[in-house]
Every structure is written in C-alpha cells, then in structure tokens.
Amino acid sequence: MTDTARADRLIGDILGRIHQAIAEHDVTYEEFQTAKQWLIDVGEAGEWPLFLDVFVEHAVEAQVFGDRRGSQGTILGPYHLPDAPVLEAPFELPRRPDEAGDRVEFTGQVTDEHGAPIAGAELDVWHADAKGLYSGFDPSLPEGILRGKVLTDADGRYTVRTILPAPYTIPEDGPTGAMVHAAGWSPWRPAHIHVIVSAEGHEPLVTQLYIDSSDYLDNDVANAVKDELIVRPRRKEGSDELGFTYDFALAQARAAAPV
Ligand code: MBD
Ligand code: FE
C-alpha cells in the first residue's frame, strides 16, 4: 500500500470513529469546546509524550510485539534519556549521598532465544526515585541520577545496584491529571524499573520490571504490567540490601538493519 493510501485509510478511520463517538454520546458544543481547549493545554504543558505513552502506547506495543520470542517487553514511556553513561564495577546507578529508598541489587543473565549467553549485551536502566520522580524531568532532582548502562560479562551476566523506586503518579496539576480526575480514574503506575536490553544481531528488548510489593500492580493507568515482568526483591542473608534476579532472552533481529 502506498503511504498516501495508508494515510487516507488510517486517518480517515480514526476521524470516522471520533465522529461515531460524537453521535453515540450525543456530544454538545460545550463538550467540543472543552475538548478543544484541553488539547491545546496538553500541547502547551508539553504533556503529549506523557499522554500518548500512558494511554496509547500499550496498544502499539501489543500490536507490534504481541508475537515476540524471548522475554516479554512492555512500553517505553516518556522518561528515557538515551545518553546515560556506561557504568564501571560495582555498577551502581548514580544517586544522591542521602538517596531515600531500600537498597537493591539485581543480577541475571542475557541470552539469545535458545538460551546461549550473550557477552557484551547492554542494559540501559532508569527508574524513579523514592518519591516517584525521574531525573532529567523533575527539576528538583540532580541530572543523571538513577540512570545508567551496564554490559554483560563473558558469561552474559550482569549486576545492577540501585534503590527501589516508589509508584509513579501522573502530575495532578496538569491537563493529563485533570482528564484522569474528571473521569474518576486512578493516576498511578506501580513501582517499576525500566530496562532496554540490546545486543548486536538481536531485537532490542524494551521492558519494565515491576516490584511485587507495590500498590497498583492490577490498576496501572498505563496498562503496561505483565505477570512475567513482576520481580520479588527479598532481603539478602546477612545484609540490609534487597536482591532479585531476572534473566533476559533476546529474540533474533527480525531483518537486517537498513544500514
Ligand atoms: C512512567 O514512568 C512510565 O513508565 C510510563 C510508561 C508512562 C508515564 C510515566
Ligand atoms: Fe516509568
């Protein structure tokens, strides 16, 4: 199908479904004007990435990766920054000296879809702090904290040390929060750690690990929790640190890269 033909069908279908909803719900001029102003407000507040990743991305992820081999992925979300540094041992994500939150170490192995270890695979890790805030987006946090990349060793093994994040809430003072409030929905996401696992010749795996003790696991505003992604941090013997393991299996790249 040509790009024009696809745009005609897809955009036409989306608009047609909006027209249908207007008819089915007997939408008024007052509601139309409210919606128009709200759309303008979302743009002015810079919340389009937030809105789209929370309310739409899960459907795209399911569509594109529903049949993926290897480990489960989930949505990327709006808070990834691609330029985090590669860490050196002991692989601690940068944090404030007095960083709140339980200390945790997670380890595991990266393999291909048949279980063969992948040395030199990259894990790009980022998460919120113990108040649910992300560095680089909330100005009250130092730049670059709670973000970093680690590489797997010769056996495909990795270690990451950090703190456990808190659940995340959509900012309540912006238009996205106003919409959620207007509809009587919960604005929360469960506590989660984002990871992108990549290695040459393999499909990058964009995923999140969800903390089993967190609230909102079965009521994620972004609809992005999968059972296979829930981890169980437990107190390590003789330590005040928590620990968990998670192994990632990467699917083979679907097709040759374009360049
Ligand atoms: C997040 O932290 C997040 O991970 C997603 C997907 C959307 C909004 C905030
Ligand atoms: Fe997140």
Side-chain angles (χ1 to χ4, degrees):
M1 205 191 299
T2 65
D3 287 354
T4 307
R6 181 164 169 81
D8 173 35
R9 285 202 203 169
L10 180 54
I11 299 166
D13 185 38
I14 291 168
L15 289 171
R17 291 188 200 216
I18 293 173
H19 305 154
Q20 208 178 343
I22 289 167
E24 277 174 23
H25 298 280
D26 196 14
V27 167
T28 65
Y29 248 105
E30 199 183 349
E31 287 168 332
F32 174 62
Q33 299 298 5
T34 301
K36 194 199 269 183
Q37 187 58 52
W38 179 83
L39 288 159
I40 294 165
D41 292 345
V42 173
E44 287 181 350
E47 287 192 356
W48 278 120
L50 173 71
F51 177 83
L52 289 165
D53 293 352
V54 168
F55 292 105
V56 181
E57 190 185 356
H58 68 89
V60 180
E61 195 277 333
Q63 187 63 34
V64 175
F65 292 118
D67 62 347
R68 94 175 296 149
R69 296 148 82 91
S71 299
Q72 275 297 322
T74 188
I75 64 178
L76 175 66
Y79 298 131
H80 179 238
L81 293 173
D83 297 326
V86 177
L87 306 173
E88 307 275 345
F91 310 116
E92 296 208 8
L93 299 194
R95 58 190 161 89
R96 291 161 284 198
D98 56 347
E99 194 70 47
D102 287 327
R103 305 293 309 278
V104 66
E105 178 182 83
F106 61 103
T107 61
Q109 193 176 34
V110 178
T111 66
D112 68 13
E113 60 192 79
H114 310 294
I118 304 176
E122 182 188 276
L123 286 83
D124 185 351
V125 181
W126 72 103
H127 63 77
D129 74 359
K131 289 182 177 163
L133 305 175
Y134 282 88
S135 71
F137 294 88
D138 191 290
S140 72
L141 274 63
E143 297 271 324
I145 67 163
L146 307 177
R147 298 172 181 278
K149 296 171 180 162
V150 305
L151 303 178
T152 58
D153 68 15
D155 301 318
R157 301 203 165 273
Y158 73 88
T159 300
V160 177
R161 304 184 65 174
T162 185
I163 56 105
L164 279 188
Y168 166 90
T169 173
I170 289 172
E172 311 241 15
D173 53 351
T176 306
M179 181 200 75
V180 165
H181 185 71
W185 298 342
S186 162
W188 289 93
R189 299 210 67 221
H192 59 278
I193 297 173
H194 293 266
V195 187
I196 300 175
V197 188
S198 51
E200 200 159 324
H202 301 270
E203 273 305 303
L205 175 67
V206 175
T207 195
Q208 302 180 29
L209 303 177
Y210 295 95
I211 312 306
D212 70 332
S213 57
S214 176
D215 289 333
Y216 316 112
L217 281 173
D218 51 12
N219 187 26
D220 175 13
V221 65
N223 242 288
V225 178
K226 301 180 186 184
D227 285 346
E228 304 91 320
L229 302 179
I230 297 173
V231 295
R232 290 162 190 82
R234 291 294 178 262
R235 212 48 75 192
K236 291 196 286 184
E237 219 166 298
S239 162
D240 55 6
E241 210 174 66
L242 301 169
F244 68 87
T245 63
Y246 200 86
D247 297 333
F248 298 95
L250 297 187
Q252 216 167 56
R254 294 181 171 200
V259 284

